[in-house]
Amino acid sequence: FAATTEIATPYSLPPRVVRDQLPILYVYDHCPFCVRVRLAFGLKNIKHNVQFLANDDIPTPTALVGKKIAPILAVPEDDLIMGESLDIIALVEGDDRFGTPNAILPATGRSDIKAWQKSVQILLRSLQRPRYVATGLLPEFQQLDGRHAFIKNHQLPPYDKPEWKGDGTDENPGLPMDDKLKLYAEALSKDPAPLLEELNAKLVELDDMIFSESYCSAGGLSMDDIDLWARLRSITIVKGVEWPSKTRNYMDNLSAMGDVPLYDEMAL
């Protein structure tokens, strides 16, 4: 990412948007695709209701959009229900009832950040997934069935998804549930120091890629931030992470402006 002399002007929230019938977001708290939409709504200053789905709740999203997915947007005044995070953001960005159109700049094609995200995927899977279900505090995991549904479907390294879930055949039934529960418990009980050391070093790398404490790419707040911040938020559930100052301030600034809390107070 080329150096630039551009001065970072902090993002300013636009005027509050309050519709007579508030839009509703159906989400999982831990889901980065859901967080994308929550952050975009917050940064556009759109008052909305958030409906957290239990992780094992199949009937509710299926009744809304035909399958178990999140996020889902409902716009009661239009009798509209839709899924897919980027489509939802595009909808409100193109509708002046939801504030100034195109307030969030387009993505700039940050291949460096995409490569960084890919490089930490397995590492973060090892650290974050056991902690999501272990806190007992995330709304989608308030009940045992929700926690077990997540563990059943979300593999831990070194397993890949087909090994973990199976394919419904006798030849590949997947891991037994008792084994999955044991692996999650073991992952949480391990000394996290080696993984934390690796993560802390990777965050130093990322810090050099982030343009400012207000947005990650030169030019202003953009879809680059919507995606990056939504993914970085999950790291705050891991206790003992050493955040470089610029990246930490970036996380705090967008959390405050977007009205999406971080996990620091429940970190494990």
Side-chain angles (χ1 to χ4, degrees):
F1 185 49
T4 176
T5 58
E6 178 183 338
I7 297 174
T9 303
Y11 178 78
S12 297
L13 282 180
R16 187 69 158 159
V17 175
V18 184
R19 304 297 300 168
D20 289 339
Q21 297 182 72
L22 297 181
I24 305 164
L25 293 177
Y26 294 86
V27 300
Y28 305 119
D29 191 84
H30 76 281
C31 166
F33 305 109
C34 299
V35 176
R36 281 177 178 173
V37 177
R38 293 172 62 193
L39 180 64
F41 271 59
L43 292 171
K44 286 182 68 67
N45 212 2
I46 302 168
K47 186 172 177 60
H48 58 285
N49 286 326
V50 179
Q51 181 72 49
F52 292 107
L53 297 167
N55 197 72
D56 64 319
D57 181 354
I58 297 174
T60 300
T62 301
L64 290 167
V65 294
K67 57 183 176 179
K68 183 184 183 296
I69 60 167
I72 298 168
L73 168 67
V75 184
E77 63 186 285
D78 294 342
D79 197 24
L80 171 70
I81 300 173
M82 64 182 294
E84 301 298 336
S85 61
L86 298 181
D87 291 344
I88 292 170
I89 295 170
L91 176 79
V92 297
E93 276 282 75
D95 188 334
D96 59 12
R97 292 178 300 168
F98 296 105
T100 304
N102 303 313
I104 301 169
L105 298 173
T108 66
R110 291 295 300 276
S111 58
D112 57 340
I113 289 179
K114 292 296 183 184
W116 183 90
Q117 291 173 343
K118 186 175 182 180
S119 76
V120 297
Q121 187 177 51
I122 301 301
L123 171 63
L124 294 182
R125 192 173 290 168
S126 300
L127 286 167
Q128 291 167 182
R129 286 183 173 179
R131 286 164 174 79
Y132 289 151
V133 293
T135 65
L137 296 173
L138 301 192
E140 59 266 40
F141 302 132
Q142 287 289 304
Q143 295 174 302
L144 186 65
D145 287 346
R147 298 193 290 275
H148 281 193
F150 183 86
I151 292 169
K152 178 181 178 181
N153 293 316
H154 292 80
Q155 74 275 16
L156 292 177
Y159 296 93
D160 59 23
K161 186 171 288 188
E163 289 177 303
W164 189 270
K165 292 184 66 174
D167 58 13
T169 66
D170 292 338
E171 292 76 18
N172 183 22
L175 290 181
M177 189 63 187
D178 284 347
D179 290 355
K180 294 176 182 179
L181 292 169
K182 182 180 178 182
L183 288 165
Y184 262 72
E186 289 175 350
L188 190 66
S189 65
K190 284 181 181 177
D191 180 2
L195 296 180
L196 283 174
E197 183 178 359
E198 183 180 352
L199 177 56
N200 291 339
K202 296 298 293 186
L203 287 172
V204 171
E205 290 180 17
L206 179 66
D207 198 61
D208 289 337
M209 303 176 199
I210 292 179
F211 177 73
S212 76
E213 297 177 355
S214 298
Y215 36 87
C216 67
S217 299
L221 190 134
S222 71
M223 290 299 296
D224 297 344
D225 299 292
I226 297 298
D227 183 66
L228 176 63
W229 190 92
R231 296 175 188 275
L232 293 179
R233 174 181 181 255
S234 294
I235 297 176
T236 62
I237 205 165
V238 183
K239 191 174 183 178
V241 175
E242 296 175 1
W243 293 84
S245 60
K246 181 173 58 176
T247 303
R248 181 70 231 197
N249 290 338
Y250 171 80
M251 296 304 297
D252 292 339
N253 288 340
L254 267 65
S255 174
M257 288 191 296
D259 197 18
V260 181
L262 299 172
Y263 290 135
D264 299 282
E265 296 304 317
M266 65 174 77
L268 294 174

